Amino acid sequence: MKYLVYLLFFALVIAHHDFWWWDQHRPFIFGTIPVGLAWHVGISLGAAFVGILGILFCWPVDDDEEEALIDAAANTPTPNQEHS
Amino acid sequence: MIAQAAGNSGMVSLVVIVCYMIMLIALGYFASRSFKGTSADYFVASRGIGPFVLLMSLFGTTMTAFAIIGSSGEAYNAGIGVYGKMVSWSGIFHSFCFFLVGIKLWRLGKQHGYMTQIQFFRDRFESNNIGLLLFPILVGLIIPYLLMGVIGGATAIEKITSGAFPEMFAATKGGLPFWAGGLMMCVVVLIYIFYGGVRGAAWANALQTSIFVVLGIVMFVAIANKLGGPAAATEQVAKYNPSYLKVSISEADHERFLAQQAAFEAGESKVQPREPEEIPPLIFLTYMFIPFSVAMFPHLFQHWLTAKSASSFKLSVVMHPLLMMLTWLPCVLIGIWATSATMPDGSLVIPIGTPQNSVLPIMIAKLVKSPVLGGLVTAGVLAAIMSSLDSQFMCLGSIFTNDIVGHYVAHDKLTDKTKVLLGRGFIVVIVAITYLLALQLRGASVFKLGVWCFTGFASLAPLVFGALYWKRISKIGAYATILTAVVVGGYLFWDASRLEGTKDPTIFGVMPVAVIFAASTVAMFVVSLMTPAPSHATLKKFFKNP
């Protein structure tokens, strides 16, 4: 499933270059939005959808780690490490 | 007083704006009541910001005046392609950066107590001095961004309050002068971040973001109604300027333009057509690099560190592209309608040659004719501007305090109380300098500089991706990445600044950001592979499997 999310992400990037609509303005979606603009509104919706899939299948922090980080953070001092 | 104000549209608008400013100050007051007195609370809100406020902070911080006034002006100038260039690319890559960069930095911030970007880079690249190189670059890139906000906001206030004080400010046609509008904005932002710290900024951003999203929709409905409904408004564009409803243009578009121009000149049509405009495919494609700037914005870094948990990012990952769509789509449609919208006598609402930033105010003034709505829309524009200004002021104060004075001067021995005191002091100084610079540069084309700021930050993005995902990136490789971005970017900026006009500057037909991004990435890989790798201790600190 993780790979499907990656694939959808790249599909979204490729779909952005929608040269097939570039020279036409009709149809108007909902009678108002030119088809090329509507396509890009679709890309925005697609980005949100891929975001949902990313959260469900590729989330980088598991619950246990998250709890440990939150607990540890309270006692972590500001970094003062010196480097050459 | 109220009756007097009601008869004076400039005064009505001013009253709306002042009410809005008072609301922000009140919010800063409430935020200050939650202040715990520690530097972690002042600079990163004790890392306790939840999903909704985080979403609104991240979104409000990335949107500036460009989101409302600029988007409609750009659409008026270049047609629907502006949405693809700015919004759908950002929808894809902003969320991508929140996911891949934001969450990882949040995790490292929690583990190691970082408050600024420079602290992270100093540790990751085992270099005490990298902060001294990054500091002037980050400040140099943020300052024009700040100026753009102050100048844009103060100009909008002056225009919309025109007539409020006809005798006192005759030179500005009675509008609140630039110096006073700018001062009002700076002082209000200063008050709520001075007392509330980054929590004050986050809360104010939540309010301001809600305001400009809602007002954008209200404005869209009001203008659409006056044009006979959204469908009729779009049909009018299809009749007179169809090239603005698509990205590229054809020979037929040129022929239609010449025929309509001839009809206009012969007096057969009152609508003067606009020359067809297109966005070249390579420009459209290489705009994809601009949104990578969010990976390197120091003020976004600071907001990421405020998150209570990694789960707080989930709402931002999903909702950010949708909020961008909700904010920009109405403004882009208003911009393309403006190319062909006519008054009852058949003349254009927006005469040819109108500066693009005046498109939206004129559409409101001529079609909606409501000073209250005018004031509210200006408040919306100010909301978009101030929600970026506050975070940038906060972040500069934080960098000065923690990275420069705290680290290099006091060698990390400052007490918490001193840090808060210094942070507040620096913020006052930065606000004052920004205000004075804005007074000096109010006529300068800072808008172009704004685009270059995004380009500069985006060109440094390989550094943060390398730091988080490539174990082999070395200290010298990091310096090479930064210096390449500065040298190549500086040269291209100097080269482009000699060009006149409003067109995007290009290098071999692509956006300069693509060239600088590629150059800094190559420098990072080549130099890192040729120089010593980071120590095992550092890799262990930053990677699960060193």
Side-chain angles (χ1 to χ4, degrees), chain A residues 9 16-17 22-26 28 31-32 34 37 40-41 43-45 47-48 52 54-55 58-61 65-66 69-70 73 76-84, chain B residues 80 83-84 88-89 92 96 99 103 107 110-114 119 122-123 128 230-231 234-235 238 245-248 281 284-285 309-311 314 318 325 412 475 541 544:
Chain A
F9 178 80
H16 185 282
H17 211 61
W22 284 2
D23 203 30
Q24 74 179 80
H25 57 278
R26 287 185 194 273
F28 295 149
T32 304
L37 181 56
H40 280 275
V41 170
I43 300 265
S44 296
L45 296 171
I52 293 173
I55 289 166
C58 313
W59 193 245
V61 183
E65 186 193 1
E66 187 165 343
L69 282 168
I70 294 167
T76 307
T78 307
N80 56 1
Q81 191 178 338
E82 287 286 344
H83 299 285
S84 57
Chain B
I80 61 161
Y83 187 97
S88 44
W89 272 142
I92 297 171
F96 174 82
F99 203 101
I103 295 169
R107 188 210 311 246
K110 283 270 188 200
Q111 281 174 335
H112 306 300
Y114 297 129
Q119 287 172 340
R122 221 162 44 207
D123 274 8
N128 192 44
T234 304
E235 283 297 343
L245 300 172
K246 54 200 180 90
V247 173
S248 60
F284 195 73
L285 181 67
S309 63
S311 304
K314 289 178 180 172
V318 176
M325 179 192 79
D412 299 310
K475 171 176 152 180
K541 185 171 179 179
K544 278 183 181 168

Coordinates of all heavy atoms in Angstrom, one line a residue, chain A residues 9 16-17 22-26 28 31-32 34 37 40-41 43-45 47-48 52 54-55 58-61 65-66 69-70 73 76-84, chain B residues 80 83-84 88-89 92 96 99 103 107 110-114 119 122-123 128 230-231 234-235 238 245-248 281 284-285 309-311 314 318 325 412 475 541 544:
Chain A
F9 N 1.3 9.8 -5.6 CA 2.0 11.1 -5.5 C 2.6 11.5 -6.8 O 2.5 12.6 -7.3 CB 3.0 11.1 -4.3 CG 3.8 12.4 -4.2 CD1 3.2 13.4 -3.5 CD2 5.0 12.5 -4.7 CE1 3.9 14.6 -3.4 CE2 5.7 13.7 -4.6 CZ 5.1 14.8 -3.9
H16 N -0.2 17.2 -13.1 CA -0.1 18.7 -13.0 C 0.2 19.3 -14.4 O -0.3 20.4 -14.7 CB 0.9 19.1 -12.0 CG 0.9 20.6 -11.7 ND1 1.5 21.5 -12.6 CD2 0.4 21.3 -10.7 CE1 1.4 22.7 -12.1 NE2 0.7 22.6 -11.0
H17 N 1.0 18.6 -15.2 CA 1.4 19.2 -16.5 C 0.4 18.8 -17.5 O 0.6 18.0 -18.5 CB 2.8 18.6 -16.9 CG 3.6 19.6 -17.7 ND1 4.0 20.8 -17.2 CD2 4.1 19.5 -18.9 CE1 4.7 21.5 -18.1 NE2 4.7 20.7 -19.2
W22 N -4.5 22.7 -22.3 CA -4.0 24.0 -22.4 C -4.6 24.9 -23.5 O -4.6 26.1 -23.3 CB -2.5 24.0 -22.6 CG -1.8 23.6 -21.3 CD1 -2.3 23.3 -20.1 CD2 -0.4 23.5 -21.1 NE1 -1.4 23.0 -19.2 CE2 -0.2 23.1 -19.8 CE3 0.7 23.7 -21.9 CZ2 1.1 22.9 -19.2 CZ3 2.0 23.5 -21.4 CH2 2.2 23.1 -20.0
D23 N -5.1 24.2 -24.5 CA -5.6 25.1 -25.6 C -7.1 25.1 -25.7 O -7.7 25.4 -26.7 CB -5.0 24.7 -26.9 CG -5.0 25.8 -28.0 OD1 -5.0 27.0 -27.5 OD2 -5.1 25.5 -29.2
Q24 N -7.8 24.6 -24.6 CA -9.2 24.7 -24.7 C -9.8 25.2 -23.4 O -9.2 25.0 -22.3 CB -9.8 23.3 -25.0 CG -9.8 22.3 -23.8 CD -10.4 21.0 -24.2 OE1 -9.8 20.2 -24.9 NE2 -11.7 20.8 -23.8
H25 N -10.9 26.0 -23.5 CA -11.4 26.6 -22.2 C -12.8 25.9 -21.9 O -13.2 26.0 -20.7 CB -11.5 28.1 -22.3 CG -12.3 28.6 -23.4 ND1 -11.8 28.7 -24.7 CD2 -13.6 29.0 -23.5 CE1 -12.8 29.2 -25.5 NE2 -13.9 29.4 -24.8
R26 N -13.4 25.3 -22.8 CA -14.7 24.7 -22.5 C -14.5 23.2 -22.4 O -13.5 22.7 -23.0 CB -15.7 25.0 -23.6 CG -16.2 26.4 -23.6 CD -17.3 26.6 -24.6 NE -17.6 28.0 -24.8 CZ -18.4 28.7 -24.1 NH1 -19.1 28.1 -23.1 NH2 -18.6 30.0 -24.3
F28 N -17.3 24.4 -19.3 CA -17.2 25.1 -18.0 C -17.9 24.2 -17.0 O -19.0 23.9 -17.1 CB -18.0 26.5 -18.0 CG -17.3 27.5 -19.0 CD1 -18.1 28.4 -19.6 CD2 -16.0 27.5 -19.2 CE1 -17.5 29.3 -20.5 CE2 -15.4 28.4 -20.1 CZ -16.2 29.3 -20.7
G31 N -20.9 25.2 -15.0 CA -21.2 26.4 -15.8 C -20.3 27.6 -15.6 O -20.5 28.7 -16.2
T32 N -19.3 27.4 -14.7 CA -18.5 28.6 -14.3 C -17.0 28.4 -14.5 O -16.3 29.3 -14.9 CB -18.7 28.8 -12.8 OG1 -20.1 29.0 -12.6 CG2 -18.0 30.0 -12.3
P34 N -13.6 27.1 -16.0 CA -13.0 26.5 -17.2 C -12.3 25.2 -16.9 O -11.8 25.0 -15.8 CB -11.9 27.6 -17.6 CG -12.3 28.8 -16.9 CD -13.0 28.4 -15.7
L37 N -8.9 25.0 -15.3 CA -8.8 25.4 -13.9 C -9.4 24.3 -13.0 O -8.9 24.0 -12.0 CB -9.6 26.8 -13.8 CG -9.6 27.4 -12.4 CD1 -8.2 27.6 -11.8 CD2 -10.4 28.7 -12.4
H40 N -7.1 21.6 -12.2 CA -6.1 21.9 -11.1 C -6.8 22.0 -9.8 O -6.1 21.7 -8.8 CB -5.4 23.2 -11.5 CG -4.2 23.0 -12.4 ND1 -3.0 22.5 -12.0 CD2 -4.2 23.0 -13.8 CE1 -2.3 22.3 -13.1 NE2 -3.0 22.6 -14.2
V41 N -8.1 22.3 -9.7 CA -8.8 22.2 -8.5 C -8.8 20.7 -8.1 O -8.6 20.4 -6.9 CB -10.2 22.8 -8.6 CG1 -11.1 22.4 -7.4 CG2 -10.2 24.3 -8.8
I43 N -6.5 18.6 -8.8 CA -5.2 18.3 -8.3 C -5.1 18.7 -6.8 O -4.5 17.9 -6.0 CB -4.1 19.1 -9.1 CG1 -4.1 18.8 -10.5 CG2 -2.7 18.9 -8.4 CD1 -3.2 17.7 -11.0
S44 N -5.7 19.8 -6.4 CA -5.7 20.2 -5.0 C -6.4 19.2 -4.2 O -5.9 18.8 -3.1 CB -6.3 21.6 -4.8 OG -5.6 22.6 -5.5
L45 N -7.6 18.7 -4.7 CA -8.3 17.7 -4.0 C -7.5 16.4 -3.9 O -7.5 15.7 -2.9 CB -9.7 17.5 -4.7 CG -10.6 18.7 -4.7 CD1 -11.8 18.4 -5.6 CD2 -11.1 19.0 -3.3
A47 N -4.3 16.1 -3.9 CA -3.2 16.3 -2.9 C -3.7 16.0 -1.5 O -3.0 15.3 -0.7 CB -2.6 17.7 -3.0
A48 N -4.9 16.5 -1.2 CA -5.5 16.2 0.1 C -5.8 14.7 0.3 O -5.5 14.1 1.3 CB -6.8 17.0 0.3
I52 N -4.3 12.0 3.0 CA -5.0 11.0 3.8 C -4.4 9.6 3.7 O -4.1 9.0 4.8 CB -6.5 11.0 3.4 CG1 -7.2 12.3 3.7 CG2 -7.2 9.9 4.2 CD1 -8.6 12.4 3.2
G54 N -1.4 8.9 2.8 CA 0.0 9.0 3.4 C -0.1 8.8 5.0 O 0.7 8.1 5.6
I55 N -1.1 9.5 5.6 CA -1.3 9.4 7.0 C -1.7 7.9 7.4 O -1.2 7.4 8.4 CB -2.4 10.4 7.5 CG1 -1.8 11.8 7.4 CG2 -2.8 10.1 8.9 CD1 -2.9 12.9 7.5
C58 N 1.7 5.5 5.6 CA 3.1 5.9 5.6 C 3.5 6.7 6.8 O 4.5 7.4 6.8 CB 3.5 6.6 4.3 SG 2.9 5.9 2.8
W59 N 2.6 6.8 7.8 CA 2.9 7.7 8.9 C 4.2 7.4 9.6 O 4.5 6.2 9.9 CB 1.7 7.7 9.9 CG 1.8 8.8 10.9 CD1 2.0 8.7 12.3 CD2 1.7 10.2 10.6 NE1 2.0 9.9 12.8 CE2 1.8 10.9 11.9 CE3 1.5 10.9 9.5 CZ2 1.7 12.2 12.0 CZ3 1.4 12.3 9.6 CH2 1.5 12.9 10.8
P60 N 5.1 8.4 9.7 CA 6.5 8.0 10.2 C 6.7 7.8 11.7 O 7.8 7.4 12.1 CB 7.3 9.2 9.7 CG 6.3 10.4 9.6 CD 5.0 9.8 9.4
V61 N 5.7 8.2 12.5 CA 5.9 8.1 14.0 C 4.9 7.2 14.6 O 3.7 7.5 14.4 CB 5.8 9.5 14.6 CG1 6.1 9.4 16.1 CG2 6.8 10.5 13.9
E65 N 6.3 5.6 20.2 CA 7.4 6.6 20.1 C 7.0 8.0 20.4 O 7.6 8.8 21.0 CB 8.0 6.5 18.7 CG 9.3 7.3 18.5 CD 9.7 7.5 17.0 OE1 9.0 7.0 16.1 OE2 10.7 8.2 16.8
E66 N 5.8 8.3 19.9 CA 5.2 9.6 20.1 C 5.1 10.0 21.6 O 5.5 11.0 22.0 CB 3.9 9.8 19.3 CG 3.3 11.2 19.3 CD 2.2 11.3 18.3 OE1 2.1 10.5 17.4 OE2 1.5 12.3 18.5
L69 N 8.4 10.5 23.2 CA 9.0 11.8 22.8 C 8.4 12.9 23.6 O 9.1 13.8 24.1 CB 8.8 12.1 21.3 CG 9.7 11.3 20.3 CD1 9.2 11.5 18.9 CD2 11.1 11.9 20.4
I70 N 7.0 12.9 23.7 CA 6.3 13.9 24.5 C 6.8 13.9 25.9 O 7.0 15.0 26.5 CB 4.8 13.8 24.3 CG1 4.4 14.0 22.8 CG2 4.1 14.7 25.2 CD1 3.0 13.6 22.5
A73 N 10.4 15.2 26.2 CA 10.6 16.6 25.8 C 10.6 17.6 27.0 O 11.3 18.6 27.0 CB 9.6 17.0 24.8
T76 N 14.1 18.0 28.4 CA 15.2 18.2 27.5 C 15.7 19.6 27.5 O 14.9 20.5 27.3 CB 14.8 17.8 26.0 OG1 14.2 16.5 26.0 CG2 16.0 17.9 25.1
P77 N 17.0 19.8 27.9 CA 17.5 21.2 27.9 C 17.8 21.7 26.5 O 17.8 20.9 25.5 CB 18.8 21.1 28.6 CG 19.3 19.7 28.4 CD 18.0 18.8 28.2
T78 N 17.9 23.0 26.3 CA 18.3 23.6 25.0 C 19.7 23.1 24.7 O 20.5 23.0 25.6 CB 18.3 25.1 25.2 OG1 17.0 25.5 25.7 CG2 18.5 25.8 23.9
P79 N 20.0 22.9 23.4 CA 21.3 22.3 23.0 C 22.4 23.4 23.3 O 22.2 24.5 23.1 CB 21.1 22.1 21.5 CG 20.0 22.9 21.1 CD 19.1 23.0 22.2
N80 N 23.5 22.9 23.9 CA 24.6 23.8 24.1 C 25.9 23.1 23.7 O 27.0 23.5 24.2 CB 24.7 24.2 25.6 CG 24.8 23.0 26.5 OD1 24.8 21.8 26.0 ND2 24.8 23.2 27.8
Q81 N 25.8 22.1 22.8 CA 26.9 21.4 22.3 C 27.9 22.3 21.5 O 27.4 23.0 20.7 CB 26.4 20.2 21.5 CG 27.5 19.2 21.2 CD 26.9 18.1 20.3 OE1 25.7 17.9 20.3 NE2 27.8 17.4 19.6
E82 N 29.1 22.2 21.8 CA 30.1 23.0 21.1 C 30.8 22.1 20.0 O 31.0 20.9 20.2 CB 31.2 23.5 22.0 CG 30.8 24.6 23.0 CD 30.7 25.9 22.3 OE1 31.2 26.1 21.2 OE2 30.0 26.8 22.9
H83 N 31.0 22.7 18.8 CA 31.7 22.0 17.7 C 32.8 22.9 17.2 O 32.8 24.1 17.4 CB 30.7 21.7 16.6 CG 29.5 20.9 17.0 ND1 29.6 19.6 17.2 CD2 28.3 21.3 17.2 CE1 28.4 19.1 17.5 NE2 27.6 20.1 17.6
S84 N 33.8 22.2 16.7 CA 34.9 22.9 16.2 C 34.6 23.4 14.8 O 33.8 22.9 14.1 CB 36.1 22.1 16.1 OG 35.9 20.9 15.4
Chain B
I80 N -6.0 31.8 -16.1 CA -6.2 30.8 -15.1 C -4.9 30.0 -14.7 O -4.9 29.4 -13.7 CB -7.2 29.7 -15.6 CG1 -6.7 29.0 -16.9 CG2 -8.6 30.3 -15.8 CD1 -7.4 27.7 -17.2
Y83 N -3.3 29.6 -11.2 CA -3.7 28.6 -10.2 C -2.8 27.4 -10.2 O -2.3 27.0 -9.2 CB -5.1 28.2 -10.4 CG -5.7 27.3 -9.3 CD1 -6.5 27.9 -8.3 CD2 -5.4 26.0 -9.3 CE1 -6.9 27.1 -7.2 CE2 -5.9 25.2 -8.2 CZ -6.7 25.7 -7.2 OH -7.1 24.9 -6.2
G84 N -2.5 27.0 -11.4 CA -1.6 25.8 -11.5 C -0.2 26.1 -11.1 O 0.5 25.3 -10.4
S88 N -1.8 24.6 -7.2 CA -1.8 23.2 -7.2 C -0.4 22.6 -6.9 O -0.2 21.6 -6.3 CB -2.4 22.6 -8.4 OG -2.0 23.3 -9.6
W89 N 0.6 23.4 -7.4 CA 2.0 22.9 -7.0 C 2.2 23.0 -5.5 O 2.8 22.1 -4.9 CB 3.1 23.8 -7.7 CG 3.5 23.4 -9.1 CD1 3.8 24.2 -10.1 CD2 3.8 22.0 -9.6 NE1 4.3 23.5 -11.2 CE2 4.3 22.1 -10.9 CE3 3.7 20.8 -9.0 CZ2 4.6 21.0 -11.7 CZ3 4.1 19.7 -9.8 CH2 4.5 19.8 -11.1
I92 N 0.5 20.3 -3.5 CA 1.2 19.0 -3.6 C 2.5 19.1 -2.7 O 2.7 18.3 -1.8 CB 1.7 18.6 -5.0 CG1 0.5 18.4 -5.9 CG2 2.6 17.4 -5.0 CD1 0.8 18.3 -7.4
F96 N 3.8 17.8 1.2 CA 4.9 16.9 1.1 C 6.0 17.3 2.1 O 6.6 16.5 2.8 CB 5.4 16.9 -0.4 CG 6.7 16.2 -0.7 CD1 6.7 14.8 -0.9 CD2 7.9 16.9 -0.8 CE1 7.9 14.2 -1.3 CE2 9.1 16.2 -1.1 CZ 9.1 14.9 -1.3
F99 N 5.1 16.7 5.7 CA 5.1 15.3 6.0 C 6.6 14.8 6.1 O 7.0 14.1 7.1 CB 4.5 14.5 4.8 CG 4.0 13.1 5.1 CD1 2.7 12.9 5.4 CD2 4.9 12.1 5.2 CE1 2.2 11.6 5.7 CE2 4.5 10.8 5.5 CZ 3.1 10.6 5.8
I103 N 7.6 16.8 10.2 CA 7.4 15.8 11.3 C 8.8 15.3 11.8 O 9.0 15.2 13.0 CB 6.6 14.6 10.8 CG1 5.1 15.1 10.5 CG2 6.5 13.5 11.8 CD1 4.3 14.1 9.7
R107 N 10.2 15.8 15.6 CA 10.8 14.7 16.4 C 12.1 15.1 17.0 O 12.4 14.9 18.1 CB 10.9 13.5 15.5 CG 11.2 12.2 16.3 CD 12.0 11.2 15.5 NE 11.5 10.9 14.2 CZ 11.0 9.7 13.8 NH1 10.9 8.7 14.7 NH2 10.6 9.5 12.6
K110 N 11.9 17.7 19.7 CA 11.5 17.1 21.0 C 12.6 16.4 21.6 O 12.8 16.5 22.8 CB 10.4 16.1 20.7 CG 9.0 16.7 20.4 CD 8.2 16.9 21.7 CE 6.8 17.3 21.4 NZ 6.1 17.9 22.5
Q111 N 13.4 15.6 20.8 CA 14.5 14.8 21.4 C 15.6 15.7 21.9 O 16.2 15.4 23.0 CB 15.1 13.9 20.3 CG 14.2 12.7 20.1 CD 14.8 11.9 18.9 OE1 15.4 12.4 18.0 NE2 14.4 10.6 18.9
H112 N 16.0 16.8 21.2 CA 17.2 17.5 21.5 C 16.9 18.9 22.0 O 17.9 19.7 22.2 CB 18.1 17.5 20.3 CG 18.4 16.1 19.8 ND1 19.0 15.1 20.6 CD2 18.2 15.5 18.6 CE1 19.1 14.0 19.9 NE2 18.6 14.2 18.7
G113 N 15.7 19.3 22.1 CA 15.3 20.6 22.6 C 15.6 21.8 21.7 O 15.8 22.9 22.2
Y114 N 15.6 21.6 20.4 CA 15.9 22.7 19.5 C 14.8 23.8 19.5 O 13.6 23.5 19.7 CB 16.0 22.2 18.0 CG 17.2 21.3 17.8 CD1 17.0 20.0 17.2 CD2 18.4 21.6 18.3 CE1 18.0 19.2 17.1 CE2 19.5 20.7 18.1 CZ 19.3 19.5 17.5 OH 20.3 18.6 17.4
Q119 N 20.3 25.9 15.4 CA 20.7 24.9 16.4 C 20.7 23.5 15.8 O 21.7 22.8 16.0 CB 19.7 24.9 17.6 CG 19.8 26.2 18.5 CD 18.7 26.2 19.5 OE1 17.7 25.6 19.4 NE2 18.9 27.0 20.5
R122 N 23.7 23.3 13.3 CA 25.0 23.3 14.0 C 25.3 21.9 14.5 O 26.4 21.4 14.3 CB 24.8 24.2 15.2 CG 26.1 25.1 15.3 CD 25.8 26.3 16.2 NE 25.0 26.0 17.4 CZ 24.2 26.9 18.0 NH1 24.1 28.1 17.5 NH2 23.5 26.6 19.1
D123 N 24.3 21.2 15.1 CA 24.5 19.9 15.6 C 24.7 18.8 14.4 O 25.6 18.0 14.5 CB 23.3 19.4 16.5 CG 23.5 19.9 17.9 OD1 24.4 20.7 18.1 OD2 22.7 19.5 18.7
N128 N 30.2 24.6 14.5 CA 29.8 25.7 15.4 C 29.5 27.0 14.6 O 28.7 27.8 14.9 CB 30.9 25.9 16.4 CG 30.4 26.9 17.5 OD1 29.2 26.7 18.0 ND2 31.2 27.8 17.9
P230 N -22.1 33.7 -11.3 CA -20.8 33.2 -11.8 C -20.7 32.7 -13.2 O -19.8 33.0 -14.0 CB -20.4 32.1 -10.8 CG -21.6 31.8 -10.0 CD -22.5 33.0 -10.1
A231 N -21.8 32.0 -13.7 CA -21.8 31.5 -15.0 C -21.8 32.6 -16.1 O -21.1 32.6 -17.0 CB -23.0 30.6 -15.2
T234 N -18.4 34.2 -16.3 CA -17.4 33.5 -17.1 C -17.7 33.5 -18.6 O -16.8 33.6 -19.4 CB -17.4 32.0 -16.6 OG1 -17.1 32.0 -15.2 CG2 -16.3 31.2 -17.3
E235 N -19.0 33.5 -18.9 CA -19.4 33.5 -20.3 C -18.9 34.9 -21.0 O -18.6 34.9 -22.1 CB -20.9 33.4 -20.5 CG -21.4 32.0 -20.4 CD -20.9 31.0 -21.4 OE1 -20.4 31.5 -22.5 OE2 -21.0 29.8 -21.2
A238 N -15.5 34.4 -21.9 CA -15.4 33.6 -23.1 C -15.7 34.4 -24.4 O -15.1 34.1 -25.4 CB -16.3 32.4 -23.0
L245 N -8.9 32.1 -20.3 CA -9.6 30.9 -19.6 C -8.8 29.6 -19.9 O -9.2 28.5 -19.7 CB -11.0 30.7 -20.2 CG -11.9 31.9 -19.9 CD1 -13.3 31.7 -20.6 CD2 -12.2 32.1 -18.4
K246 N -7.6 29.8 -20.5 CA -6.7 28.6 -20.8 C -5.3 29.0 -20.6 O -5.0 30.2 -20.4 CB -7.0 28.0 -22.2 CG -6.9 29.0 -23.3 CD -7.6 28.5 -24.5 CE -7.6 29.4 -25.7 NZ -6.4 29.2 -26.6
V247 N -4.4 28.0 -20.7 CA -3.0 28.3 -20.4 C -2.2 28.8 -21.6 O -1.4 29.7 -21.6 CB -2.3 27.1 -19.8 CG1 -0.8 27.2 -19.6 CG2 -2.9 26.8 -18.4
S248 N -2.4 28.1 -22.8 CA -1.6 28.5 -24.0 C -2.5 29.3 -25.0 O -3.8 29.3 -24.8 CB -1.0 27.3 -24.6 OG -2.0 26.4 -25.0
P281 N 5.3 26.5 -21.2 CA 5.3 25.2 -20.5 C 6.4 25.0 -19.5 O 6.2 24.5 -18.4 CB 5.4 24.2 -21.7 CG 4.9 24.9 -22.9 CD 5.2 26.4 -22.7
F284 N 5.7 27.0 -16.4 CA 4.6 26.3 -15.7 C 5.2 25.1 -14.9 O 4.8 24.9 -13.7 CB 3.6 25.8 -16.7 CG 2.3 25.4 -16.1 CD1 1.4 26.4 -15.6 CD2 1.9 24.1 -16.0 CE1 0.2 26.0 -15.1 CE2 0.7 23.7 -15.5 CZ -0.2 24.7 -15.0
L285 N 6.1 24.3 -15.5 CA 6.7 23.2 -14.9 C 7.6 23.5 -13.8 O 7.6 23.0 -12.7 CB 7.4 22.3 -16.0 CG 8.0 21.0 -15.5 CD1 7.0 20.0 -15.1 CD2 8.9 20.4 -16.6
S309 N 2.1 17.1 19.3 CA 2.5 15.7 18.9 C 2.6 15.6 17.4 O 2.2 16.5 16.7 CB 1.3 14.8 19.4 OG 0.1 15.2 18.7
A310 N 3.2 14.5 17.0 CA 3.3 14.3 15.6 C 1.9 14.2 14.9 O 1.7 14.7 13.8 CB 4.0 13.0 15.3
S311 N 0.9 13.7 15.7 CA -0.4 13.6 15.1 C -1.0 15.0 14.8 O -1.9 15.1 14.0 CB -1.3 12.9 16.1 OG -0.8 11.7 16.4
K314 N -1.3 15.9 11.2 CA -2.2 15.2 10.2 C -3.2 16.2 9.6 O -3.4 16.1 8.4 CB -2.9 14.1 11.0 CG -2.0 12.9 11.3 CD -2.8 11.8 12.1 CE -1.8 10.7 12.4 NZ -2.4 9.7 13.3
V318 N -3.5 17.2 5.3 CA -4.8 17.0 4.5 C -5.4 18.4 4.2 O -5.8 18.6 3.0 CB -5.8 16.2 5.3 CG1 -7.1 16.0 4.5 CG2 -5.2 14.8 5.6
M325 N -6.9 26.0 -1.9 CA -7.9 26.0 -3.0 C -9.1 27.0 -2.6 O -9.5 27.8 -3.4 CB -8.5 24.6 -3.2 CG -9.5 24.5 -4.2 SD -10.3 22.9 -4.1 CE -11.5 23.2 -2.8
D412 N 25.9 30.0 25.6 CA 24.8 29.2 26.1 C 24.6 29.2 27.6 O 24.2 28.2 28.3 CB 24.9 27.7 25.6 CG 24.9 27.6 24.1 OD1 23.9 28.2 23.5 OD2 25.8 27.0 23.6
K475 N 30.1 18.1 6.6 CA 30.1 19.5 7.0 C 30.5 20.4 5.8 O 29.8 21.4 5.5 CB 31.1 19.7 8.1 CG 31.5 21.0 8.6 CD 32.4 20.9 9.8 CE 33.4 22.1 9.9 NZ 34.3 22.0 11.0
K541 N 22.9 10.2 16.7 CA 22.0 11.2 17.2 C 20.8 11.5 16.3 O 19.7 11.8 16.8 CB 22.8 12.4 17.5 CG 22.1 13.5 18.2 CD 23.0 14.6 18.6 CE 22.3 15.8 19.3 NZ 23.2 16.8 19.7
K544 N 18.0 6.5 13.1 CA 17.7 5.3 13.8 C 18.7 4.2 13.6 O 19.1 3.4 14.4 CB 16.3 4.8 13.5 CG 15.2 5.5 14.2 CD 13.8 5.0 13.9 CE 12.7 5.7 14.6 NZ 11.4 5.4 14.1

